[in-house]
Amino acid sequence: MRKSLRCFGPKNIAILFVLSTCWAVIFYYIELNTESKALMSARRHNYTIYSKEDNVHIYEMPPVLGREDIRGSANCVQNKPDVVMIGVPKCGTGSVRTFLNEHPNIAMEMNSEGVQYFNARYMRGNEWYVSQMPCSQPGQITIENSAQYFASDVAPLRMYRYNPDMKLIVTIRNPIKRLVSEFVQMTVGRPQFLSGLSVEENILHQTTGKVNDKKTIVAKSMYIKYIKQWMKFFSPKQIHIVDGDEFALNPVKELQELERFLGIKPYFTKSHFALVKERGFFCLKRPNGVECLEKGKGRAHPNVSPAILSMLRIFFTPYNEELFALMGRRLDWN
């Protein structure tokens, strides 16, 4: 016994301390290098980088009928999210988020910009992240929503390390419609990032005249490329794909599939929704009428020439086919 205790003398303890410190430093730099490479790759491909923290006030939430935002009070219980809606931008994520929020077993983070923790605000730490979650009640699952996670190089690994059992919701739609929709949004909110005033100028390579997959609005519609990145860390059983086009036509069907994926009781029926023809989509039924999404939704889209549409269909076809094979079903994107 005395002989074995000598192994833990002051000198050996000091050596062990130095070695453990060295390993910690090496691990830190490996981690840092991994994320730096991901960001470098994103810059090289001209993807949008969210490396700077923005000034979005996370506590600022739209009013939700019958649910008061009491975050910060003693009565508020905030839990780590069980589910994250990771995108895709301009595929109907706002509708999915708003409608899911009606379910009594769901506590939904409702900020339209999302928390953007795993891509932009990671340095704020896990405690800050949970502080952005909604107040929840017993029996509710917490869902976070940040559509910008989808195309992030660093978000999949960070989220996996945070919770390897996380469930993910991905909303997709016809890739050409998504591309055009984002172009329209950029003309209103981010015109400084556009290459011109037309869709063509923002998707075609200036020299070759072919579809430029380095353009962000093109790349985000190559869904399978990013889904494969997420599947490096999360199994197919943890990822549910919502058909955004079908959701716009028949939200109840898609919401019921989400209920089964999330393992919560059936709640949604046709009685919860009404089609408002003037808006062109479904709204929530209320005792005194209907409640629709903000007026910015459903903007008119520009006309795109048949030649450009044909180029885009040909370009996206192999990516779509690979996605359909992975899903085991085809989506009506003709």
Side-chain angles (χ1 to χ4, degrees), residues 241-243 246-247 250-258:
I241 296 178
V242 176
D243 180 353
E246 180 66 20
F247 191 94
N250 188 1
V252 175
K253 172 179 173 290
E254 294 292 323
L255 287 166
Q256 289 174 347
E257 289 181 5
L258 277 166

Side-chain angles (χ1 to χ4, degrees), residues 5-65:
L5 285 173
R6 287 174 192 165
C7 296
F8 295 94
K11 278 189 177 180
N12 289 332
I13 291 174
I15 291 170
L16 286 172
F17 175 77
V18 171
L19 287 174
S20 62
T21 303
C22 289
W23 276 114
V25 171
I26 290 170
F27 180 79
Y28 171 78
Y29 278 104
I30 289 173
E31 173 109 343
L32 194 64
N33 187 49
T34 300
E35 296 205 351
S36 295
K37 282 182 177 178
L39 289 172
M40 289 285 287
S41 171
R43 289 191 181 96
R44 187 168 59 251
H45 290 90
N46 195 31
Y47 300 147
T48 305
I49 302 294
Y50 297 89
S51 57
K52 293 182 179 179
E53 294 187 359
D54 56 30
N55 294 318
V56 175
H57 184 39
I58 303 300
Y59 279 121
E60 199 171 290
M61 293 173 61
V64 181
L65 190 70

Side-chain angles (χ1 to χ4, degrees), residues 23-154:
W23 276 114
V25 171
I26 290 170
F27 180 79
Y28 171 78
Y29 278 104
I30 289 173
E31 173 109 343
L32 194 64
N33 187 49
T34 300
E35 296 205 351
S36 295
K37 282 182 177 178
L39 289 172
M40 289 285 287
S41 171
R43 289 191 181 96
R44 187 168 59 251
H45 290 90
N46 195 31
Y47 300 147
T48 305
I49 302 294
Y50 297 89
S51 57
K52 293 182 179 179
E53 294 187 359
D54 56 30
N55 294 318
V56 175
H57 184 39
I58 303 300
Y59 279 121
E60 199 171 290
M61 293 173 61
V64 181
L65 190 70
R67 299 192 193 180
E68 184 183 357
D69 184 14
I70 57 171
R71 285 183 290 184
S73 73
N75 298 322
C76 177
V77 177
Q78 293 167 294
N79 294 318
K80 293 171 63 175
D82 308 280
V83 185
V84 178
M85 293 177 58
I86 62 171
V88 179
K90 307 312 298 177
C91 286
T93 55
S95 298
V96 177
R97 178 184 71 241
T98 301
F99 291 176
L100 273 180
N101 184 57
E102 296 294 305
H103 198 292
N105 294 133
I106 290 177
M108 176 69 73
E109 183 275 306
M110 285 294 290
N111 189 281
S112 60
E113 296 296 324
V115 177
Q116 296 196 43
Y117 173 60
F118 295 105
N119 62 328
R121 302 184 174 98
Y122 196 60
M123 298 305 291
R124 296 189 181 186
N126 292 345
E127 188 175 340
W128 175 87
Y129 179 51
V130 176
S131 76
Q132 307 310 306
M133 295 303 109
C135 303
S136 62
Q137 300 172 357
Q140 286 187 323
I141 60 172
T142 298
I143 301 182
E144 196 245 308
N145 139 73
S146 291
Q148 301 299 347
Y149 288 156
F150 182 70
S152 167
D153 287 274
V154 296

Side-chain angles (χ1 to χ4, degrees), residues 98-264:
T98 301
F99 291 176
L100 273 180
N101 184 57
E102 296 294 305
H103 198 292
N105 294 133
I106 290 177
M108 176 69 73
E109 183 275 306
M110 285 294 290
N111 189 281
S112 60
E113 296 296 324
V115 177
Q116 296 196 43
Y117 173 60
F118 295 105
N119 62 328
R121 302 184 174 98
Y122 196 60
M123 298 305 291
R124 296 189 181 186
N126 292 345
E127 188 175 340
W128 175 87
Y129 179 51
V130 176
S131 76
Q132 307 310 306
M133 295 303 109
C135 303
S136 62
Q137 300 172 357
Q140 286 187 323
I141 60 172
T142 298
I143 301 182
E144 196 245 308
N145 139 73
S146 291
Q148 301 299 347
Y149 288 156
F150 182 70
S152 167
D153 287 274
V154 296
L157 175 59
R158 288 173 172 177
M159 193 179 296
Y160 174 78
R161 286 175 175 167
Y162 180 78
N163 181 6
D165 298 319
M166 192 80 81
K167 287 186 176 182
L168 311 178
I169 298 174
V170 184
T171 305
I172 61 176
R173 67 186 295 202
N174 181 309
I176 300 175
K177 289 182 179 179
R178 194 219 69 83
L179 181 156
V180 175
S181 182
E182 184 166 11
F183 167 78
V184 172
Q185 185 188 52
M186 291 177 72
T187 61
V188 176
R190 294 176 291 155
Q192 68 273 25
F193 295 111
L194 293 173
S195 303
L197 299 178
S198 67
V199 172
E200 293 91 322
E201 292 173 287
N202 287 275
I203 64 170
L204 300 182
H205 196 284
Q206 290 183 347
T207 305
T208 65
K210 296 181 179 180
V211 177
N212 187 352
D213 62 356
K214 302 300 186 292
K215 293 282 190 178
T216 305
I217 62 172
V218 175
K220 285 183 195 172
S221 286
M222 298 157 63
Y223 305 128
I224 187 63
K225 175 180 179 179
Y226 297 105
I227 288 174
K228 287 195 294 188
Q229 292 299 314
W230 286 93
M231 289 183 67
K232 289 180 180 178
F233 304 100
F234 300 93
S235 72
K237 290 183 179 180
Q238 291 175 264
I239 304 173
H240 181 80
I241 296 178
V242 176
D243 180 353
D245 293 317
E246 180 66 20
F247 191 94
L249 299 173
N250 188 1
V252 175
K253 172 179 173 290
E254 294 292 323
L255 287 166
Q256 289 174 347
E257 289 181 5
L258 277 166
E259 288 172 334
R260 289 189 286 272
F261 171 69
L262 297 173
I264 54 179

